[in-house]
Amino acid sequence: MISKETKEIIDNYVEAYNSFDVVGIVKLLHKDILFRNFSNGEINTETRGVQDFRELAEKSSKIFSSRRLAIIDYSAVDDKVEAQIDYEGILAVDLPNGLKNGDSMQLKGKSVFRIEEGKIALIEDYS
């Protein structure tokens, strides 16, 4: 079972993320936050610590003119929470993979969170 407090922390993270509120995101993070992004089964991004995560979040916020992360379902797995997600974003820049400013991206996947000491200590995004 997922505690009310854990769900609230994750919901606050999603709200800050969708609002491009980097300061709000950072307030929710454990000082030793580990972030990993997996695409097609491989890690393509990893950060450790609040400062590295903040830098990534600031860079990422400039890539999109709008974005919306929506949690479809939560499940508890060991000491983590798995959230099934829908994601959509509108690009604000051209990307090396051929996507252009104004293009829409839509993804389905999951995000895995671990909470320690009332803060998010792990985020793993899978798409």
Side-chain angles (χ1 to χ4, degrees):
M1 188 170 137
I2 302 163
S3 75
K4 179 182 174 189
E5 293 80 13
T6 294
K7 191 168 185 251
E8 189 173 297
I9 291 166
I10 294 168
D11 288 345
N12 289 339
Y13 167 82
V14 170
E15 184 177 323
Y17 179 88
N18 287 343
S19 301
F20 297 92
D21 180 3
V22 174
V23 172
I25 291 170
V26 168
K27 286 181 183 177
L28 299 166
L29 302 179
H30 189 278
K31 65 181 175 58
D32 298 322
I33 177 74
L34 172 59
F35 170 78
R36 292 184 184 124
N37 188 76
F38 295 83
S39 182
N40 298 318
E42 294 187 16
I43 290 181
N44 62 14
T45 306
E46 180 174 298
T47 66
R48 292 180 184 270
V50 171
Q51 188 55 39
D52 284 352
F53 189 97
R54 177 194 305 268
E55 290 170 13
L56 178 65
E58 287 171 350
K59 274 191 234 173
S60 298
S61 70
K62 292 178 175 92
I63 294 172
F64 295 95
S65 60
S66 71
R67 62 186 182 190
R68 187 178 77 72
L69 176 67
I71 295 180
I72 306 307
D73 193 28
Y74 292 95
S75 58
V77 179
D78 299 322
D79 64 339
K80 300 178 186 102
V81 174
E82 284 190 7
Q84 300 303 313
I85 61 145
D86 279 344
Y87 178 85
E88 59 185 74
I90 307 291
L91 290 170
V93 297
D94 295 344
L95 296 179
N97 66 3
L99 292 173
K100 301 282 185 210
N101 179 355
D103 285 353
S104 176
M105 287 180 52
Q106 295 186 330
L107 302 167
K108 290 189 179 295
K110 73 177 177 181
S111 291
V112 176
F113 299 90
R114 187 177 68 246
I115 308 298
E116 291 178 15
E117 302 168 354
K119 302 276 188 173
I120 301 171
L122 171 73
I123 303 171
E124 292 180 333
D125 290 337
Y126 296 84
S127 62

